[in-house]
Structure formats: structure tokens, C-alpha cells
């Protein structure tokens, strides 16, 4: 079990959501969220809904809300600089600095996939939430054109 990050405070959700909220409660906060669809790849009880073009700290994200039996259990923000000309410079460095300043040094959770490509990953373990950043396949080439920021109930 990883050691808890040094934190000033714990978070119990993402942005203004809380773990355990229903789809209807999340939709009340984000009226433009898409319809809830089953995601059987995760589990037979897993459902998801997406919010496109969500502006956060001068960058646009696709936000994926994941529910298990209509209970919010994770939120993933996808930043894809190749998808829109509005994106500009990747916010990855600023996010890493901000999270490290707030929660301490992350755990290196990188893995090598079957094709010998590196999936770069860093995680912060808080009492009720795991925060993670994943940069697939190409961190050594300075290609930060795609990354995901994960918030998950612990």
C-alpha cells in the first residue's frame, strides 16, 4: 500500500462533485453532460457520461464521469492538444508543479507495455482520493500532446 502523500487537506471528489453523487446530481451541476451509457469493459455495473470542451485553468478538457451503480467513483480529464487549435501549450508541467506543491512528491507508477513503450504515470494517494496523471507512450520525446488527469475514490 503506497504511503499517503503529504497533504494540506484531503479532497473527496473532483471540482465541485463528491464521491457517491448520482448521475442526476452531477447533471444538475453540469447540465451539458452527455447521456449515461453502460461501460461493460470496466464492470457490468459501470456507467459513464462525458462533458466536452470543459474550460479549466485556460485549457479545454473532455471530462469523463464514471459511475458504479449510479454512484460517482472517478473523474478523468483528457487534454488533447492535437484535437483543437485552441489548446496551445500543454498545461502538464503546471499541473505537476501545482499538485506536487499541494500534496508532496508523487509515486512513480510508470509501466512498460507489451510493445516496449513507456506509459508515464504519477500518483498522489490522499486519504479518500487518488489523483493520477498519465502520459501514454512518449514522454521522452517531449510530446505532451495528450495526457489524462484522474481523480478516483480510494
Amino acid at each position: 500500500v503506497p504511503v499517503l502523500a503529504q497533504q494540506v487537506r484531503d479532497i473527496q471528489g473532483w471540482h465541485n462533485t463528491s464521491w457517491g453523487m448520482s448521475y442526476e446530481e452531477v447533471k444538475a451541476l453540469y447540465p451539458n453532460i452527455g447521456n449515461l451509457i453502460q461501460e461493460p469493459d470496466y464492470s457490468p455495473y459501470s456507467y459513464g457520461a462525458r462533458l466536452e470542451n470543459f474550460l479549466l485553468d485556460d485549457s479545454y478538457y473532455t471530462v469523463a464521469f464514471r459511475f458504479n451503480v449510479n454512484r460517482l467513483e472517478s473523474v478523468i480529464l483528457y487534454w488533447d492538444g492535437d484535437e483543437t487549435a485552441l489548446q496551445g501549450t500543454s498545461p502538464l508541467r503546471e499541473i505537476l508543479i501545482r499538485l506536487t506543491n499541494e500534496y508532496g512528491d508523487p509515486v512513480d507508477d510508470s509501466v512498460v507495455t507489451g510493445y516496449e513503450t513507456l506509459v508515464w504515470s504519477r500518483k498522489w494517494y490522499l486519504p479518500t482520493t487518488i489523483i493520477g496523471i498519465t502520459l501514454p507512450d512518449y514522454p521522452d520525446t517531449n510530446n505532451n500532446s495528450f495526457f489524462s488527469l484522474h481523480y478516483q475514490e480510494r
Side-chain angles (χ1 to χ4, degrees):
V1 175
V3 177
L4 294 180
Q6 303 166 359
Q7 71 273 359
V8 174
R9 62 182 174 82
D10 188 22
I11 57 173
Q12 298 180 6
W14 169 78
H15 211 247
N16 57 352
T17 64
S18 299
W19 305 132
M21 290 178 93
S22 68
Y23 169 77
E24 292 76 19
E25 291 170 315
V26 173
K27 187 163 180 68
L29 295 172
Y30 302 102
N32 294 332
I33 192 173
N35 292 329
L36 195 61
I37 57 169
Q38 189 170 14
E39 296 181 329
D41 291 345
Y42 295 100
S43 89
Y45 308 106
S46 183
Y47 292 83
R50 289 185 176 253
L51 179 63
E52 303 291 338
N53 298 314
F54 182 76
L55 181 62
L56 182 65
D57 298 331
D58 299 325
S59 291
Y60 288 94
Y61 297 86
T62 296
V63 181
F65 296 91
R66 293 239 169 84
F67 299 84
N68 193 343
V69 190
N70 201 29
R71 184 181 179 287
L72 183 64
E73 66 178 7
S74 70
V75 178
I76 304 171
L77 286 77
Y78 297 98
W79 186 88
D80 190 344
D82 292 337
E83 288 297 312
T84 173
L86 298 174
Q87 290 293 58
T89 305
S90 170
L92 179 61
R93 180 174 165 74
E94 290 76 20
I95 291 170
L96 279 169
I97 291 169
R98 185 175 67 232
L99 290 172
T100 300
N101 287 340
E102 189 162 347
Y103 301 112
D105 291 330
V107 173
D108 183 345
D109 198 39
S110 301
V111 296
V112 176
T113 66
Y115 295 107
E116 308 247 346
T117 56
L118 177 69
V119 176
W120 184 91
S121 177
R122 298 294 184 269
K123 289 185 178 175
W124 291 263
Y125 292 86
L126 308 180
T128 59
T129 301
I130 299 170
I131 304 171
I133 297 177
T134 303
L135 181 64
D137 297 342
Y138 33 67
D140 294 332
T141 62
N142 276 337
N143 184 349
N144 295 340
S145 63
F146 176 83
F147 71 88
S148 58
L149 177 60
H150 309 250
Y151 290 79
Q152 177 181 344
E153 184 178 25
R154 197 168 169 167

